[in-house]
Amino acid sequence: EQNIKFVVGKMLNSVREGHPLSDVLHEKWGFDKLYISLVRIGESSGNIAEVFAGIASNLKFKKALSSKVKQAISYPLLVFTFCTLAILFVFNVVIPRMAVLFDNQENLPWYTEAMLACADFVTTYQWVMLPLLVVLPFGLLHIKRRPELKSSLDSIAIRIPMLSGLIRMLERIRYCSAMFLTIKSGISVERAMQYSAKVIKNDVLRRQAEAAEIKVRQGNSLAASFKQTLIFDEIHTGLIEVGEKSGDLESIFNEITEREQFNFDALVTRFTALLEPALILLMAGVVGSVVVVMLMSIIAVQDIGF
């Protein structure tokens, strides 16, 4: 809070000295270039209050979207972590204590030997596997900071069937919300496309959006340019074509944004609802299999003893 007051105070002093607010935002405070451009347009048109209202609405939308993305990642990760710990407990505590029953036993059943071998493998190599699982997310973050590696990773991600659909949906929401905000602020379609392409995080889709903007500048229609990208499907390009003919692209991009956000919320809800029982079933399957194999092994050892 103190840092915010300091930044606002510095900005206020600069504006009082006669500097335009857009130049103050651009100077050194790290504000989004899209928002700075919108503020500059609002200053020149005298409509800065409406511009700030649109920026506030867009920031609220982005925060809600970010929260949904984190929910889609964090909740399954928490359940997966719990299941992993439960399985490790079985292999590190339960099986070793029961394994003493099979010491000095010959001709053990194959399932008993397989269970003991799995437990031995886990207890031997878990101190190597667990650090790798912890380091892996940080390694992916490091890769995404290197442009050449990030581009390759984005190219692979966009080809994975289920992941590709999720990525395209997220980028479509970001792009359409930016298009709605910029067109509503009075920016031309070409400039709106130029600004909006910068909010796309996937390199492959961002390059396609930039290529579509070049085609529009060359005289192609907006819908025809988007048909050659992976960002929009036929339904969306059809809506955009209707918006072009009616001259109401603003409401079309807003409708696509709201529709895709609803679909994303439903997808996240369905994903978390299905993944939780799937992980629990996996844990129950592993633990139940160990219990069944243990009982069968004890019975087999008693038969051998007789």
Side-chain angles (χ1 to χ4, degrees), residues 70-285:
K70 290 178 181 178
Q71 176 187 347
I73 297 174
S74 59
Y75 182 71
L77 185 62
L78 180 63
V79 177
F80 177 75
T81 302
F82 175 77
C83 292
T84 302
L85 291 176
I87 293 172
L88 287 176
F89 175 80
V90 170
F91 280 106
N92 282 273
V93 178
V94 177
I95 294 179
R97 290 187 178 181
M98 298 292 292
V100 296
L101 298 174
F102 312 117
D103 289 344
N104 302 321
Q105 294 287 341
E106 297 180 356
N107 299 322
L108 290 173
W110 66 268
Y111 45 81
T112 306
E113 294 181 352
M115 179 189 65
L116 296 176
C118 288
D120 183 63
F121 177 82
V122 171
T123 54
T124 303
Y125 295 102
Q126 63 185 349
W127 306 115
V128 178
M129 294 185 292
L130 290 177
L132 287 177
L133 292 176
V134 175
V135 171
L136 183 60
F138 296 98
L140 292 175
L141 290 175
H142 177 71
I143 289 174
K144 292 186 73 68
R145 292 192 182 100
R146 300 182 62 178
E148 67 280 2
L149 296 178
K150 180 181 181 301
S151 180
S152 300
L153 191 63
D154 288 344
S155 180
I156 295 172
I158 205 65
R159 291 185 174 92
I160 300 175
M162 294 185 62
L163 183 60
S164 174
L166 181 62
I167 292 173
R168 290 169 60 190
M169 185 180 293
L170 284 172
E171 301 297 10
R172 191 181 303 128
I173 293 172
R174 293 190 181 104
Y175 185 81
C176 289
S177 66
M179 286 291 291
F180 166 70
L181 179 60
T182 49
I183 293 175
K184 182 180 179 181
S185 301
I187 295 179
S188 65
V189 174
E190 292 84 359
R191 290 184 63 191
M193 293 178 69
Q194 185 178 9
Y195 289 135
S196 300
K198 297 178 181 179
V199 306
I200 298 178
K201 296 183 178 181
N202 184 276
D203 285 347
V204 176
L205 298 182
R206 184 176 64 253
R207 288 195 295 267
Q208 291 183 356
E210 292 170 348
E213 185 263 333
I214 294 174
K215 291 176 182 177
V216 170
R217 289 184 182 274
Q218 293 173 347
N220 295 329
S221 68
L222 192 62
S225 301
F226 281 140
K227 283 181 181 179
Q228 302 178 31
T229 70
L230 294 173
I231 302 173
F232 299 100
D233 56 25
E234 293 183 1
I235 296 178
H236 300 120
T237 53
L239 289 172
I240 293 171
E241 186 174 2
V242 172
E244 279 187 292
K245 292 180 179 179
S246 64
D248 191 17
L249 283 172
E250 177 185 329
S251 62
I252 291 297
F253 280 112
N254 186 41
E255 180 182 350
I256 294 175
T257 301
E258 292 178 351
R259 180 182 298 182
E260 289 302 290
Q261 188 178 18
F262 175 81
N263 291 337
F264 180 75
D265 291 345
L267 179 63
V268 170
T269 302
R270 188 164 60 249
F271 174 74
T272 53
L274 291 175
L275 188 62
E276 179 182 7
L279 291 174
I280 293 176
L281 285 174
L282 174 63
M283 180 182 67

